[in-house]
Amino acid sequence: MYSKTVIDHFTNPRNMGEMKDADAIGKVGNPTCGDLIWIYIKVKDDVITDVSFKTFGCAAAIATSSMITEITKGKTLKEAYQITRTDVAENLEGLPPIKMHCSNLSADGLHKAIQEYLRKTGRTVEDLK
Ligand code: FES
């Protein structure tokens, strides 16, 4: 079953909604379950100052999207790029094994948004090292 934290983030998602003035957007989908996640980021001096999400998906996909926005805000691009699928699941006090792919989706969405931001500013993830 889901942890209390998963249920909390599913029933009361943080930072939900499209960001009209986002600096970059990461969109990912899972072709098997059909779920879709958009992660929006706002960046200043290579720090993620704001982050939000839009998710069409299961309870775990919504909870992981919400959690990733919480742990990403205020981090540098480099720190945020190091957030893994496991970090998201651990912050949610675990996910059922069958739902682990849902945390993959949100972490991949964040990484894609960061890649997109770097691309727009003429850089790649190699430049974060
Ligand atoms: Fe696919 Fe959760 S069932 S993201």
PDB file of all heavy atoms in Angstrom, residues 86-121:
ATOM      1  N   THR A  86      15.392   7.099  -7.209  1.00  0.00           N
ATOM      2  CA  THR A  86      15.406   6.524  -5.854  1.00  0.00           C
ATOM      3  C   THR A  86      15.208   7.619  -4.808  1.00  0.00           C
ATOM      4  O   THR A  86      14.512   7.416  -3.817  1.00  0.00           O
ATOM      5  CB  THR A  86      16.757   5.817  -5.607  1.00  0.00           C
ATOM      6  OG1 THR A  86      17.039   5.030  -6.757  1.00  0.00           O
ATOM      7  CG2 THR A  86      16.723   4.935  -4.397  1.00  0.00           C
ATOM      8  N   ASP A  87      15.831   8.790  -5.026  1.00  0.00           N
ATOM      9  CA  ASP A  87      15.653   9.907  -4.084  1.00  0.00           C
ATOM     10  C   ASP A  87      14.167  10.246  -3.945  1.00  0.00           C
ATOM     11  O   ASP A  87      13.682  10.491  -2.837  1.00  0.00           O
ATOM     12  CB  ASP A  87      16.374  11.170  -4.575  1.00  0.00           C
ATOM     13  CG  ASP A  87      17.877  11.014  -4.581  1.00  0.00           C
ATOM     14  OD1 ASP A  87      18.396  10.220  -3.779  1.00  0.00           O
ATOM     15  OD2 ASP A  87      18.533  11.686  -5.403  1.00  0.00           O
ATOM     16  N   VAL A  88      13.472  10.286  -5.079  1.00  0.00           N
ATOM     17  CA  VAL A  88      12.050  10.655  -5.057  1.00  0.00           C
ATOM     18  C   VAL A  88      11.275   9.613  -4.248  1.00  0.00           C
ATOM     19  O   VAL A  88      10.505   9.945  -3.343  1.00  0.00           O
ATOM     20  CB  VAL A  88      11.473  10.751  -6.483  1.00  0.00           C
ATOM     21  CG1 VAL A  88      10.017  11.167  -6.440  1.00  0.00           C
ATOM     22  CG2 VAL A  88      12.276  11.723  -7.333  1.00  0.00           C
ATOM     23  N   ALA A  89      11.519   8.347  -4.532  1.00  0.00           N
ATOM     24  CA  ALA A  89      10.806   7.263  -3.838  1.00  0.00           C
ATOM     25  C   ALA A  89      11.128   7.286  -2.343  1.00  0.00           C
ATOM     26  O   ALA A  89      10.243   7.118  -1.505  1.00  0.00           O
ATOM     27  CB  ALA A  89      11.166   5.922  -4.462  1.00  0.00           C
ATOM     28  N   GLU A  90      12.402   7.525  -2.006  1.00  0.00           N
ATOM     29  CA  GLU A  90      12.795   7.533  -0.588  1.00  0.00           C
ATOM     30  C   GLU A  90      12.129   8.693   0.157  1.00  0.00           C
ATOM     31  O   GLU A  90      11.691   8.540   1.286  1.00  0.00           O
ATOM     32  CB  GLU A  90      14.312   7.625  -0.447  1.00  0.00           C
ATOM     33  CG  GLU A  90      14.965   6.255  -0.596  1.00  0.00           C
ATOM     34  CD  GLU A  90      16.486   6.319  -0.629  1.00  0.00           C
ATOM     35  OE1 GLU A  90      17.051   7.411  -0.478  1.00  0.00           O
ATOM     36  OE2 GLU A  90      17.089   5.239  -0.831  1.00  0.00           O
ATOM     37  N   ASN A  91      12.073   9.866  -0.488  1.00  0.00           N
ATOM     38  CA  ASN A  91      11.419  11.011   0.148  1.00  0.00           C
ATOM     39  C   ASN A  91       9.928  10.761   0.373  1.00  0.00           C
ATOM     40  O   ASN A  91       9.308  11.397   1.216  1.00  0.00           O
ATOM     41  CB  ASN A  91      11.622  12.281  -0.681  1.00  0.00           C
ATOM     42  CG  ASN A  91      12.936  12.959  -0.341  1.00  0.00           C
ATOM     43  OD1 ASN A  91      13.029  13.657   0.661  1.00  0.00           O
ATOM     44  ND2 ASN A  91      13.954  12.709  -1.134  1.00  0.00           N
ATOM     45  N   LEU A  92       9.372   9.847  -0.420  1.00  0.00           N
ATOM     46  CA  LEU A  92       7.949   9.506  -0.262  1.00  0.00           C
ATOM     47  C   LEU A  92       7.770   8.324   0.686  1.00  0.00           C
ATOM     48  O   LEU A  92       6.686   7.757   0.772  1.00  0.00           O
ATOM     49  CB  LEU A  92       7.337   9.167  -1.627  1.00  0.00           C
ATOM     50  CG  LEU A  92       7.079  10.343  -2.565  1.00  0.00           C
ATOM     51  CD1 LEU A  92       6.778   9.848  -3.968  1.00  0.00           C
ATOM     52  CD2 LEU A  92       5.929  11.219  -2.058  1.00  0.00           C
ATOM     53  N   GLU A  93       8.875   7.950   1.372  1.00  0.00           N
ATOM     54  CA  GLU A  93       8.854   6.785   2.273  1.00  0.00           C
ATOM     55  C   GLU A  93       8.503   5.510   1.531  1.00  0.00           C
ATOM     56  O   GLU A  93       7.767   4.664   2.029  1.00  0.00           O
ATOM     57  CB  GLU A  93       7.876   7.021   3.422  1.00  0.00           C
ATOM     58  CG  GLU A  93       8.314   8.149   4.347  1.00  0.00           C
ATOM     59  CD  GLU A  93       7.260   8.430   5.395  1.00  0.00           C
ATOM     60  OE1 GLU A  93       7.164   7.625   6.305  1.00  0.00           O
ATOM     61  OE2 GLU A  93       6.563   9.439   5.248  1.00  0.00           O
ATOM     62  N   GLY A  94       9.006   5.434   0.318  1.00  0.00           N
ATOM     63  CA  GLY A  94       8.855   4.200  -0.455  1.00  0.00           C
ATOM     64  C   GLY A  94       7.630   4.187  -1.340  1.00  0.00           C
ATOM     65  O   GLY A  94       6.677   4.942  -1.134  1.00  0.00           O
ATOM     66  N   LEU A  95       7.719   3.348  -2.378  1.00  0.00           N
ATOM     67  CA  LEU A  95       6.597   3.133  -3.286  1.00  0.00           C
ATOM     68  C   LEU A  95       6.460   1.627  -3.473  1.00  0.00           C
ATOM     69  O   LEU A  95       7.458   0.908  -3.428  1.00  0.00           O
ATOM     70  CB  LEU A  95       6.894   3.761  -4.653  1.00  0.00           C
ATOM     71  CG  LEU A  95       6.719   5.265  -4.815  1.00  0.00           C
ATOM     72  CD1 LEU A  95       7.313   5.715  -6.139  1.00  0.00           C
ATOM     73  CD2 LEU A  95       5.248   5.663  -4.733  1.00  0.00           C
ATOM     74  N   PRO A  96       5.257   1.134  -3.713  1.00  0.00           N
ATOM     75  CA  PRO A  96       5.134  -0.294  -4.010  1.00  0.00           C
ATOM     76  C   PRO A  96       5.973  -0.622  -5.250  1.00  0.00           C
ATOM     77  O   PRO A  96       6.053   0.213  -6.167  1.00  0.00           O
ATOM     78  CB  PRO A  96       3.642  -0.466  -4.301  1.00  0.00           C
ATOM     79  CG  PRO A  96       2.983   0.749  -3.740  1.00  0.00           C
ATOM     80  CD  PRO A  96       3.994   1.849  -3.773  1.00  0.00           C
ATOM     81  N   PRO A  97       6.619  -1.792  -5.303  1.00  0.00           N
ATOM     82  CA  PRO A  97       7.497  -2.118  -6.443  1.00  0.00           C
ATOM     83  C   PRO A  97       6.839  -1.892  -7.803  1.00  0.00           C
ATOM     84  O   PRO A  97       7.469  -1.350  -8.717  1.00  0.00           O
ATOM     85  CB  PRO A  97       7.806  -3.608  -6.225  1.00  0.00           C
ATOM     86  CG  PRO A  97       7.617  -3.829  -4.767  1.00  0.00           C
ATOM     87  CD  PRO A  97       6.572  -2.849  -4.306  1.00  0.00           C
ATOM     88  N   ILE A  98       5.578  -2.200  -7.905  1.00  0.00           N
ATOM     89  CA  ILE A  98       4.880  -2.051  -9.190  1.00  0.00           C
ATOM     90  C   ILE A  98       4.725  -0.583  -9.592  1.00  0.00           C
ATOM     91  O   ILE A  98       4.441  -0.259 -10.751  1.00  0.00           O
ATOM     92  CB  ILE A  98       3.509  -2.774  -9.134  1.00  0.00           C
ATOM     93  CG1 ILE A  98       2.956  -2.967 -10.533  1.00  0.00           C
ATOM     94  CG2 ILE A  98       2.535  -2.045  -8.251  1.00  0.00           C
ATOM     95  CD1 ILE A  98       1.731  -3.849 -10.594  1.00  0.00           C
ATOM     96  N   LYS A  99       4.948   0.327  -8.604  1.00  0.00           N
ATOM     97  CA  LYS A  99       4.787   1.760  -8.864  1.00  0.00           C
ATOM     98  C   LYS A  99       6.120   2.506  -8.978  1.00  0.00           C
ATOM     99  O   LYS A  99       6.125   3.725  -9.097  1.00  0.00           O
ATOM    100  CB  LYS A  99       3.932   2.389  -7.736  1.00  0.00           C
ATOM    101  CG  LYS A  99       2.474   1.968  -7.798  1.00  0.00           C
ATOM    102  CD  LYS A  99       1.820   2.635  -8.992  1.00  0.00           C
ATOM    103  CE  LYS A  99       0.397   2.182  -9.196  1.00  0.00           C
ATOM    104  NZ  LYS A  99      -0.193   2.781 -10.406  1.00  0.00           N
ATOM    105  N   MET A 100       7.219   1.779  -8.934  1.00  0.00           N
ATOM    106  CA  MET A 100       8.517   2.450  -9.013  1.00  0.00           C
ATOM    107  C   MET A 100       8.685   3.206 -10.337  1.00  0.00           C
ATOM    108  O   MET A 100       9.344   4.240 -10.398  1.00  0.00           O
ATOM    109  CB  MET A 100       9.663   1.447  -8.822  1.00  0.00           C
ATOM    110  CG  MET A 100       9.974   1.132  -7.376  1.00  0.00           C
ATOM    111  SD  MET A 100      10.292   2.577  -6.345  1.00  0.00           S
ATOM    112  CE  MET A 100      11.909   3.079  -6.900  1.00  0.00           C
ATOM    113  N   HIS A 101       8.103   2.688 -11.404  1.00  0.00           N
ATOM    114  CA  HIS A 101       8.280   3.372 -12.699  1.00  0.00           C
ATOM    115  C   HIS A 101       7.660   4.775 -12.688  1.00  0.00           C
ATOM    116  O   HIS A 101       8.051   5.627 -13.470  1.00  0.00           O
ATOM    117  CB  HIS A 101       7.720   2.536 -13.859  1.00  0.00           C
ATOM    118  CG  HIS A 101       6.241   2.648 -14.030  1.00  0.00           C
ATOM    119  ND1 HIS A 101       5.340   1.866 -13.350  1.00  0.00           N
ATOM    120  CD2 HIS A 101       5.492   3.481 -14.802  1.00  0.00           C
ATOM    121  CE1 HIS A 101       4.116   2.197 -13.705  1.00  0.00           C
ATOM    122  NE2 HIS A 101       4.175   3.172 -14.575  1.00  0.00           N
ATOM    123  N   CYS A 102       6.723   4.994 -11.779  1.00  0.00           N
ATOM    124  CA  CYS A 102       6.092   6.311 -11.702  1.00  0.00           C
ATOM    125  C   CYS A 102       7.108   7.351 -11.208  1.00  0.00           C
ATOM    126  O   CYS A 102       7.075   8.500 -11.649  1.00  0.00           O
ATOM    127  CB  CYS A 102       4.880   6.281 -10.780  1.00  0.00           C
ATOM    128  SG  CYS A 102       3.804   4.872 -11.063  1.00  0.00           S
ATOM    129  N   SER A 103       8.007   6.932 -10.283  1.00  0.00           N
ATOM    130  CA  SER A 103       9.020   7.892  -9.821  1.00  0.00           C
ATOM    131  C   SER A 103      10.069   8.110 -10.906  1.00  0.00           C
ATOM    132  O   SER A 103      10.688   9.163 -10.990  1.00  0.00           O
ATOM    133  CB  SER A 103       9.662   7.451  -8.507  1.00  0.00           C
ATOM    134  OG  SER A 103      10.417   6.292  -8.681  1.00  0.00           O
ATOM    135  N   ASN A 104      10.278   7.101 -11.756  1.00  0.00           N
ATOM    136  CA  ASN A 104      11.193   7.287 -12.882  1.00  0.00           C
ATOM    137  C   ASN A 104      10.710   8.428 -13.761  1.00  0.00           C
ATOM    138  O   ASN A 104      11.486   9.260 -14.223  1.00  0.00           O
ATOM    139  CB  ASN A 104      11.250   6.035 -13.764  1.00  0.00           C
ATOM    140  CG  ASN A 104      11.759   4.821 -13.017  1.00  0.00           C
ATOM    141  OD1 ASN A 104      12.164   4.926 -11.875  1.00  0.00           O
ATOM    142  ND2 ASN A 104      11.732   3.683 -13.670  1.00  0.00           N
ATOM    143  N   LEU A 105       9.393   8.447 -13.959  1.00  0.00           N
ATOM    144  CA  LEU A 105       8.813   9.437 -14.863  1.00  0.00           C
ATOM    145  C   LEU A 105       9.071  10.868 -14.370  1.00  0.00           C
ATOM    146  O   LEU A 105       9.469  11.725 -15.150  1.00  0.00           O
ATOM    147  CB  LEU A 105       7.307   9.163 -14.943  1.00  0.00           C
ATOM    148  CG  LEU A 105       6.620   9.258 -16.296  1.00  0.00           C
ATOM    149  CD1 LEU A 105       7.353   8.504 -17.375  1.00  0.00           C
ATOM    150  CD2 LEU A 105       5.178   8.760 -16.199  1.00  0.00           C
ATOM    151  N   SER A 106       8.875  11.123 -13.089  1.00  0.00           N
ATOM    152  CA  SER A 106       9.066  12.498 -12.610  1.00  0.00           C
ATOM    153  C   SER A 106      10.543  12.889 -12.629  1.00  0.00           C
ATOM    154  O   SER A 106      10.881  14.019 -12.992  1.00  0.00           O
ATOM    155  CB  SER A 106       8.454  12.692 -11.218  1.00  0.00           C
ATOM    156  OG  SER A 106       9.054  11.825 -10.300  1.00  0.00           O
ATOM    157  N   ALA A 107      11.427  11.968 -12.250  1.00  0.00           N
ATOM    158  CA  ALA A 107      12.862  12.284 -12.282  1.00  0.00           C
ATOM    159  C   ALA A 107      13.313  12.515 -13.727  1.00  0.00           C
ATOM    160  O   ALA A 107      14.070  13.452 -14.006  1.00  0.00           O
ATOM    161  CB  ALA A 107      13.666  11.157 -11.637  1.00  0.00           C
ATOM    162  N   ASP A 108      12.817  11.700 -14.640  1.00  0.00           N
ATOM    163  CA  ASP A 108      13.179  11.888 -16.053  1.00  0.00           C
ATOM    164  C   ASP A 108      12.658  13.234 -16.570  1.00  0.00           C
ATOM    165  O   ASP A 108      13.319  13.906 -17.360  1.00  0.00           O
ATOM    166  CB  ASP A 108      12.607  10.754 -16.917  1.00  0.00           C
ATOM    167  CG  ASP A 108      13.290   9.414 -16.631  1.00  0.00           C
ATOM    168  OD1 ASP A 108      14.300   9.391 -15.901  1.00  0.00           O
ATOM    169  OD2 ASP A 108      12.795   8.377 -17.137  1.00  0.00           O
ATOM    170  N   GLY A 109      11.463  13.621 -16.118  1.00  0.00           N
ATOM    171  CA  GLY A 109      10.886  14.901 -16.537  1.00  0.00           C
ATOM    172  C   GLY A 109      11.739  16.067 -16.056  1.00  0.00           C
ATOM    173  O   GLY A 109      11.998  17.015 -16.810  1.00  0.00           O
ATOM    174  N   LEU A 110      12.206  15.985 -14.810  1.00  0.00           N
ATOM    175  CA  LEU A 110      13.074  17.044 -14.275  1.00  0.00           C
ATOM    176  C   LEU A 110      14.380  17.099 -15.068  1.00  0.00           C
ATOM    177  O   LEU A 110      14.830  18.183 -15.469  1.00  0.00           O
ATOM    178  CB  LEU A 110      13.368  16.779 -12.794  1.00  0.00           C
ATOM    179  CG  LEU A 110      14.417  17.695 -12.170  1.00  0.00           C
ATOM    180  CD1 LEU A 110      13.951  19.147 -12.158  1.00  0.00           C
ATOM    181  CD2 LEU A 110      14.771  17.239 -10.744  1.00  0.00           C
ATOM    182  N   HIS A 111      14.974  15.945 -15.309  1.00  0.00           N
ATOM    183  CA  HIS A 111      16.248  15.915 -16.053  1.00  0.00           C
ATOM    184  C   HIS A 111      16.064  16.490 -17.460  1.00  0.00           C
ATOM    185  O   HIS A 111      16.910  17.221 -17.957  1.00  0.00           O
ATOM    186  CB  HIS A 111      16.788  14.482 -16.117  1.00  0.00           C
ATOM    187  CG  HIS A 111      17.184  13.957 -14.765  1.00  0.00           C
ATOM    188  ND1 HIS A 111      17.432  12.635 -14.516  1.00  0.00           N
ATOM    189  CD2 HIS A 111      17.356  14.599 -13.580  1.00  0.00           C
ATOM    190  CE1 HIS A 111      17.754  12.488 -13.230  1.00  0.00           C
ATOM    191  NE2 HIS A 111      17.712  13.656 -12.649  1.00  0.00           N
ATOM    192  N   LYS A 112      14.929  16.170 -18.057  1.00  0.00           N
ATOM    193  CA  LYS A 112      14.670  16.685 -19.410  1.00  0.00           C
ATOM    194  C   LYS A 112      14.526  18.206 -19.404  1.00  0.00           C
ATOM    195  O   LYS A 112      14.997  18.894 -20.307  1.00  0.00           O
ATOM    196  CB  LYS A 112      13.400  16.046 -19.965  1.00  0.00           C
ATOM    197  CG  LYS A 112      13.670  15.208 -21.198  1.00  0.00           C
ATOM    198  CD  LYS A 112      12.403  14.624 -21.729  1.00  0.00           C
ATOM    199  CE  LYS A 112      12.516  14.485 -23.227  1.00  0.00           C
ATOM    200  NZ  LYS A 112      11.373  13.795 -23.813  1.00  0.00           N
ATOM    201  N   ALA A 113      13.853  18.728 -18.366  1.00  0.00           N
ATOM    202  CA  ALA A 113      13.681  20.187 -18.264  1.00  0.00           C
ATOM    203  C   ALA A 113      15.049  20.851 -18.116  1.00  0.00           C
ATOM    204  O   ALA A 113      15.316  21.893 -18.727  1.00  0.00           O
ATOM    205  CB  ALA A 113      12.775  20.530 -17.075  1.00  0.00           C
ATOM    206  N   ILE A 114      15.915  20.265 -17.301  1.00  0.00           N
ATOM    207  CA  ILE A 114      17.254  20.838 -17.106  1.00  0.00           C
ATOM    208  C   ILE A 114      18.052  20.765 -18.413  1.00  0.00           C
ATOM    209  O   ILE A 114      18.717  21.734 -18.801  1.00  0.00           O
ATOM    210  CB  ILE A 114      17.995  20.117 -15.957  1.00  0.00           C
ATOM    211  CG1 ILE A 114      17.285  20.392 -14.623  1.00  0.00           C
ATOM    212  CG2 ILE A 114      19.460  20.555 -15.885  1.00  0.00           C
ATOM    213  CD1 ILE A 114      17.769  19.552 -13.451  1.00  0.00           C
ATOM    214  N   GLN A 115      17.959  19.644 -19.107  1.00  0.00           N
ATOM    215  CA  GLN A 115      18.656  19.510 -20.404  1.00  0.00           C
ATOM    216  C   GLN A 115      18.172  20.577 -21.378  1.00  0.00           C
ATOM    217  O   GLN A 115      18.954  21.172 -22.113  1.00  0.00           O
ATOM    218  CB  GLN A 115      18.411  18.120 -20.999  1.00  0.00           C
ATOM    219  CG  GLN A 115      19.178  17.019 -20.310  1.00  0.00           C
ATOM    220  CD  GLN A 115      18.636  15.635 -20.658  1.00  0.00           C
ATOM    221  OE1 GLN A 115      17.736  15.496 -21.473  1.00  0.00           O
ATOM    222  NE2 GLN A 115      19.174  14.617 -20.009  1.00  0.00           N
ATOM    223  N   GLU A 116      16.858  20.798 -21.364  1.00  0.00           N
ATOM    224  CA  GLU A 116      16.270  21.795 -22.266  1.00  0.00           C
ATOM    225  C   GLU A 116      16.787  23.202 -21.913  1.00  0.00           C
ATOM    226  O   GLU A 116      17.117  23.993 -22.798  1.00  0.00           O
ATOM    227  CB  GLU A 116      14.738  21.707 -22.155  1.00  0.00           C
ATOM    228  CG  GLU A 116      13.962  22.805 -22.849  1.00  0.00           C
ATOM    229  CD  GLU A 116      14.089  22.800 -24.364  1.00  0.00           C
ATOM    230  OE1 GLU A 116      14.722  21.890 -24.923  1.00  0.00           O
ATOM    231  OE2 GLU A 116      13.574  23.752 -24.989  1.00  0.00           O
ATOM    232  N   TYR A 117      16.867  23.497 -20.613  1.00  0.00           N
ATOM    233  CA  TYR A 117      17.376  24.804 -20.194  1.00  0.00           C
ATOM    234  C   TYR A 117      18.831  24.975 -20.631  1.00  0.00           C
ATOM    235  O   TYR A 117      19.219  26.028 -21.153  1.00  0.00           O
ATOM    236  CB  TYR A 117      17.250  24.981 -18.677  1.00  0.00           C
ATOM    237  CG  TYR A 117      17.751  26.330 -18.237  1.00  0.00           C
ATOM    238  CD1 TYR A 117      16.959  27.460 -18.401  1.00  0.00           C
ATOM    239  CD2 TYR A 117      19.036  26.485 -17.725  1.00  0.00           C
ATOM    240  CE1 TYR A 117      17.434  28.716 -18.054  1.00  0.00           C
ATOM    241  CE2 TYR A 117      19.514  27.735 -17.376  1.00  0.00           C
ATOM    242  CZ  TYR A 117      18.706  28.843 -17.541  1.00  0.00           C
ATOM    243  OH  TYR A 117      19.174  30.091 -17.212  1.00  0.00           O
ATOM    244  N   LEU A 118      19.615  23.924 -20.430  1.00  0.00           N
ATOM    245  CA  LEU A 118      21.032  23.992 -20.814  1.00  0.00           C
ATOM    246  C   LEU A 118      21.164  24.185 -22.324  1.00  0.00           C
ATOM    247  O   LEU A 118      21.982  24.970 -22.798  1.00  0.00           O
ATOM    248  CB  LEU A 118      21.758  22.719 -20.366  1.00  0.00           C
ATOM    249  CG  LEU A 118      21.927  22.576 -18.847  1.00  0.00           C
ATOM    250  CD1 LEU A 118      22.409  21.171 -18.495  1.00  0.00           C
ATOM    251  CD2 LEU A 118      22.902  23.618 -18.305  1.00  0.00           C
ATOM    252  N   ARG A 119      20.313  23.469 -23.076  1.00  0.00           N
ATOM    253  CA  ARG A 119      20.352  23.589 -24.537  1.00  0.00           C
ATOM    254  C   ARG A 119      20.067  25.037 -24.954  1.00  0.00           C
ATOM    255  O   ARG A 119      20.765  25.608 -25.784  1.00  0.00           O
ATOM    256  CB  ARG A 119      19.319  22.638 -25.169  1.00  0.00           C
ATOM    257  CG  ARG A 119      19.440  22.474 -26.677  1.00  0.00           C
ATOM    258  CD  ARG A 119      18.253  21.743 -27.275  1.00  0.00           C
ATOM    259  NE  ARG A 119      16.971  22.415 -27.050  1.00  0.00           N
ATOM    260  CZ  ARG A 119      16.558  23.507 -27.666  1.00  0.00           C
ATOM    261  NH1 ARG A 119      17.313  24.080 -28.583  1.00  0.00           N
ATOM    262  NH2 ARG A 119      15.383  24.058 -27.394  1.00  0.00           N
ATOM    263  N   LYS A 120      19.059  25.635 -24.308  1.00  0.00           N
ATOM    264  CA  LYS A 120      18.687  27.018 -24.628  1.00  0.00           C
ATOM    265  C   LYS A 120      19.812  27.997 -24.304  1.00  0.00           C
ATOM    266  O   LYS A 120      19.877  29.081 -24.869  1.00  0.00           O
ATOM    267  CB  LYS A 120      17.445  27.431 -23.828  1.00  0.00           C
ATOM    268  CG  LYS A 120      16.154  26.889 -24.381  1.00  0.00           C
ATOM    269  CD  LYS A 120      15.037  27.383 -23.492  1.00  0.00           C
ATOM    270  CE  LYS A 120      13.684  27.260 -24.140  1.00  0.00           C
ATOM    271  NZ  LYS A 120      12.622  27.707 -23.213  1.00  0.00           N
ATOM    272  N   THR A 121      20.644  27.638 -23.323  1.00  0.00           N
ATOM    273  CA  THR A 121      21.720  28.548 -22.936  1.00  0.00           C
ATOM    274  C   THR A 121      23.064  28.086 -23.518  1.00  0.00           C
ATOM    275  O   THR A 121      24.128  28.467 -23.025  1.00  0.00           O
ATOM    276  CB  THR A 121      21.813  28.669 -21.392  1.00  0.00           C
ATOM    277  OG1 THR A 121      21.912  27.364 -20.812  1.00  0.00           O
ATOM    278  CG2 THR A 121      20.583  29.351 -20.825  1.00  0.00           C
TER     279      THR A 121
END
